[in-house]
mmCIF file with all atom_site columns, all heavy atoms in Angstrom:
data_model
loop_
_atom_site.group_PDB
_atom_site.id
_atom_site.type_symbol
_atom_site.label_atom_id
_atom_site.label_alt_id
_atom_site.label_comp_id
_atom_site.label_asym_id
_atom_site.label_entity_id
_atom_site.label_seq_id
_atom_site.pdbx_PDB_ins_code
_atom_site.Cartn_x
_atom_site.Cartn_y
_atom_site.Cartn_z
_atom_site.occupancy
_atom_site.B_iso_or_equiv
_atom_site.pdbx_formal_charge
_atom_site.auth_seq_id
_atom_site.auth_comp_id
_atom_site.auth_asym_id
_atom_site.auth_atom_id
_atom_site.pdbx_PDB_model_num
ATOM 1  N N   . LYS A 1 14  ? 20.793 233.803 74.895 1.00 0.00 ? 684  LYS A N   1
ATOM 2  C CA  . LYS A 1 14  ? 20.488 233.168 76.177 1.00 0.00 ? 684  LYS A CA  1
ATOM 3  C C   . LYS A 1 14  ? 19.025 232.862 76.243 1.00 0.00 ? 684  LYS A C   1
ATOM 4  O O   . LYS A 1 14  ? 18.144 233.752 76.069 1.00 0.00 ? 684  LYS A O   1
ATOM 5  C CB  . LYS A 1 14  ? 20.888 234.045 77.317 1.00 0.00 ? 684  LYS A CB  1
ATOM 6  C CG  . LYS A 1 14  ? 20.853 233.328 78.637 1.00 0.00 ? 684  LYS A CG  1
ATOM 7  C CD  . LYS A 1 14  ? 21.460 234.191 79.761 1.00 0.00 ? 684  LYS A CD  1
ATOM 8  C CE  . LYS A 1 14  ? 21.500 233.482 81.102 1.00 0.00 ? 684  LYS A CE  1
ATOM 9  N NZ  . LYS A 1 14  ? 22.130 234.258 82.139 1.00 0.00 ? 684  LYS A NZ  1
ATOM 10 N N   . THR A 1 27  ? 10.885 219.866 70.576 1.00 0.00 ? 697  THR A N   1
ATOM 11 C CA  . THR A 1 27  ? 11.608 219.151 69.535 1.00 0.00 ? 697  THR A CA  1
ATOM 12 C C   . THR A 1 27  ? 12.415 220.119 68.712 1.00 0.00 ? 697  THR A C   1
ATOM 13 O O   . THR A 1 27  ? 12.485 221.309 69.006 1.00 0.00 ? 697  THR A O   1
ATOM 14 C CB  . THR A 1 27  ? 10.616 218.357 68.619 1.00 0.00 ? 697  THR A CB  1
ATOM 15 O OG1 . THR A 1 27  ? 11.403 217.426 67.837 1.00 0.00 ? 697  THR A OG1 1
ATOM 16 C CG2 . THR A 1 27  ? 9.824  219.255 67.714 1.00 0.00 ? 697  THR A CG2 1
ATOM 17 N N   . ILE A 1 39  ? -2.587 219.295 68.453 1.00 0.00 ? 709  ILE A N   1
ATOM 18 C CA  . ILE A 1 39  ? -3.300 218.049 68.754 1.00 0.00 ? 709  ILE A CA  1
ATOM 19 C C   . ILE A 1 39  ? -3.723 217.976 70.190 1.00 0.00 ? 709  ILE A C   1
ATOM 20 O O   . ILE A 1 39  ? -4.784 217.524 70.564 1.00 0.00 ? 709  ILE A O   1
ATOM 21 C CB  . ILE A 1 39  ? -2.425 216.833 68.367 1.00 0.00 ? 709  ILE A CB  1
ATOM 22 C CG1 . ILE A 1 39  ? -2.282 216.710 66.847 1.00 0.00 ? 709  ILE A CG1 1
ATOM 23 C CG2 . ILE A 1 39  ? -2.966 215.522 68.956 1.00 0.00 ? 709  ILE A CG2 1
ATOM 24 C CD1 . ILE A 1 39  ? -3.568 216.460 66.128 1.00 0.00 ? 709  ILE A CD1 1
ATOM 25 N N   . GLY A 1 68  ? 10.610 206.127 56.303 1.00 0.00 ? 738  GLY A N   1
ATOM 26 C CA  . GLY A 1 68  ? 11.391 204.878 56.312 1.00 0.00 ? 738  GLY A CA  1
ATOM 27 C C   . GLY A 1 68  ? 12.305 204.745 57.502 1.00 0.00 ? 738  GLY A C   1
ATOM 28 O O   . GLY A 1 68  ? 13.241 203.913 57.481 1.00 0.00 ? 738  GLY A O   1
ATOM 29 N N   . VAL A 1 156 ? 18.905 225.916 60.246 1.00 0.00 ? 826  VAL A N   1
ATOM 30 C CA  . VAL A 1 156 ? 19.760 224.715 60.475 1.00 0.00 ? 826  VAL A CA  1
ATOM 31 C C   . VAL A 1 156 ? 19.381 223.617 59.508 1.00 0.00 ? 826  VAL A C   1
ATOM 32 O O   . VAL A 1 156 ? 20.244 222.861 58.980 1.00 0.00 ? 826  VAL A O   1
ATOM 33 C CB  . VAL A 1 156 ? 19.792 224.289 61.930 1.00 0.00 ? 826  VAL A CB  1
ATOM 34 C CG1 . VAL A 1 156 ? 20.638 223.012 62.090 1.00 0.00 ? 826  VAL A CG1 1
ATOM 35 C CG2 . VAL A 1 156 ? 20.295 225.417 62.827 1.00 0.00 ? 826  VAL A CG2 1
ATOM 36 N N   . ALA A 1 203 ? 2.790  213.086 51.277 1.00 0.00 ? 873  ALA A N   1
ATOM 37 C CA  . ALA A 1 203 ? 1.436  213.301 51.802 1.00 0.00 ? 873  ALA A CA  1
ATOM 38 C C   . ALA A 1 203 ? 0.546  212.096 51.511 1.00 0.00 ? 873  ALA A C   1
ATOM 39 O O   . ALA A 1 203 ? -0.266 211.668 52.410 1.00 0.00 ? 873  ALA A O   1
ATOM 40 C CB  . ALA A 1 203 ? 0.849  214.566 51.190 1.00 0.00 ? 873  ALA A CB  1
ATOM 41 N N   . PRO A 1 247 ? 6.211  196.078 65.851 1.00 0.00 ? 917  PRO A N   1
ATOM 42 C CA  . PRO A 1 247 ? 6.953  196.667 66.963 1.00 0.00 ? 917  PRO A CA  1
ATOM 43 C C   . PRO A 1 247 ? 6.789  195.854 68.235 1.00 0.00 ? 917  PRO A C   1
ATOM 44 O O   . PRO A 1 247 ? 5.810  195.132 68.418 1.00 0.00 ? 917  PRO A O   1
ATOM 45 C CB  . PRO A 1 247 ? 6.302  198.032 67.141 1.00 0.00 ? 917  PRO A CB  1
ATOM 46 C CG  . PRO A 1 247 ? 5.672  198.335 65.837 1.00 0.00 ? 917  PRO A CG  1
ATOM 47 C CD  . PRO A 1 247 ? 5.180  196.983 65.333 1.00 0.00 ? 917  PRO A CD  1
ATOM 48 N N   . TRP A 1 249 ? 6.852  195.632 72.435 1.00 0.00 ? 919  TRP A N   1
ATOM 49 C CA  . TRP A 1 249 ? 6.786  196.229 73.738 1.00 0.00 ? 919  TRP A CA  1
ATOM 50 C C   . TRP A 1 249 ? 7.812  195.555 74.623 1.00 0.00 ? 919  TRP A C   1
ATOM 51 O O   . TRP A 1 249 ? 7.886  194.321 74.724 1.00 0.00 ? 919  TRP A O   1
ATOM 52 C CB  . TRP A 1 249 ? 5.368  196.114 74.362 1.00 0.00 ? 919  TRP A CB  1
ATOM 53 C CG  . TRP A 1 249 ? 4.384  196.993 73.639 1.00 0.00 ? 919  TRP A CG  1
ATOM 54 C CD1 . TRP A 1 249 ? 3.490  196.558 72.715 1.00 0.00 ? 919  TRP A CD1 1
ATOM 55 C CD2 . TRP A 1 249 ? 4.210  198.379 73.815 1.00 0.00 ? 919  TRP A CD2 1
ATOM 56 N NE1 . TRP A 1 249 ? 2.760  197.646 72.240 1.00 0.00 ? 919  TRP A NE1 1
ATOM 57 C CE2 . TRP A 1 249 ? 3.159  198.776 72.896 1.00 0.00 ? 919  TRP A CE2 1
ATOM 58 C CE3 . TRP A 1 249 ? 4.820  199.348 74.587 1.00 0.00 ? 919  TRP A CE3 1
ATOM 59 C CZ2 . TRP A 1 249 ? 2.726  200.091 72.768 1.00 0.00 ? 919  TRP A CZ2 1
ATOM 60 C CZ3 . TRP A 1 249 ? 4.375  200.686 74.452 1.00 0.00 ? 919  TRP A CZ3 1
ATOM 61 C CH2 . TRP A 1 249 ? 3.382  200.992 73.592 1.00 0.00 ? 919  TRP A CH2 1
ATOM 62 N N   . SER A 1 276 ? 25.578 202.323 81.879 1.00 0.00 ? 946  SER A N   1
ATOM 63 C CA  . SER A 1 276 ? 26.861 201.762 82.368 1.00 0.00 ? 946  SER A CA  1
ATOM 64 C C   . SER A 1 276 ? 27.854 202.872 82.780 1.00 0.00 ? 946  SER A C   1
ATOM 65 O O   . SER A 1 276 ? 28.489 202.720 83.833 1.00 0.00 ? 946  SER A O   1
ATOM 66 C CB  . SER A 1 276 ? 27.503 200.916 81.268 1.00 0.00 ? 946  SER A CB  1
ATOM 67 O OG  . SER A 1 276 ? 26.722 199.809 80.941 1.00 0.00 ? 946  SER A OG  1
ATOM 68 N N   . GLY A 1 389 ? 7.671  209.466 48.657 1.00 0.00 ? 1059 GLY A N   1
ATOM 69 C CA  . GLY A 1 389 ? 8.333  210.260 49.690 1.00 0.00 ? 1059 GLY A CA  1
ATOM 70 C C   . GLY A 1 389 ? 9.030  209.458 50.772 1.00 0.00 ? 1059 GLY A C   1
ATOM 71 O O   . GLY A 1 389 ? 9.576  210.007 51.707 1.00 0.00 ? 1059 GLY A O   1
ATOM 72 N N   . GLY A 1 396 ? 21.186 198.811 58.465 1.00 0.00 ? 1066 GLY A N   1
ATOM 73 C CA  . GLY A 1 396 ? 21.990 197.603 58.287 1.00 0.00 ? 1066 GLY A CA  1
ATOM 74 C C   . GLY A 1 396 ? 23.465 197.884 58.233 1.00 0.00 ? 1066 GLY A C   1
ATOM 75 O O   . GLY A 1 396 ? 24.305 197.017 58.428 1.00 0.00 ? 1066 GLY A O   1
ATOM 76 N N   . ASP A 1 482 ? 33.020 226.589 72.921 1.00 0.00 ? 1152 ASP A N   1
ATOM 77 C CA  . ASP A 1 482 ? 32.961 227.302 74.173 1.00 0.00 ? 1152 ASP A CA  1
ATOM 78 C C   . ASP A 1 482 ? 33.301 226.453 75.371 1.00 0.00 ? 1152 ASP A C   1
ATOM 79 O O   . ASP A 1 482 ? 33.090 226.857 76.519 1.00 0.00 ? 1152 ASP A O   1
ATOM 80 C CB  . ASP A 1 482 ? 31.550 227.975 74.329 1.00 0.00 ? 1152 ASP A CB  1
ATOM 81 C CG  . ASP A 1 482 ? 30.442 226.966 74.182 1.00 0.00 ? 1152 ASP A CG  1
ATOM 82 O OD1 . ASP A 1 482 ? 30.688 225.841 73.713 1.00 0.00 ? 1152 ASP A OD1 1
ATOM 83 O OD2 . ASP A 1 482 ? 29.280 227.372 74.465 1.00 0.00 ? 1152 ASP A OD2 1
ATOM 84 N N   . GLY A 1 531 ? 15.539 224.309 67.427 1.00 0.00 ? 1201 GLY A N   1
ATOM 85 C CA  . GLY A 1 531 ? 14.702 223.766 68.487 1.00 0.00 ? 1201 GLY A CA  1
ATOM 86 C C   . GLY A 1 531 ? 13.696 224.788 69.064 1.00 0.00 ? 1201 GLY A C   1
ATOM 87 O O   . GLY A 1 531 ? 13.966 225.935 69.204 1.00 0.00 ? 1201 GLY A O   1
#
Side-chain angles (χ1 to χ4, degrees):
K684 191 172 184 179
T697 196
I709 290 297
V826 176
W919 290 100
S946 296
D1152 53 350

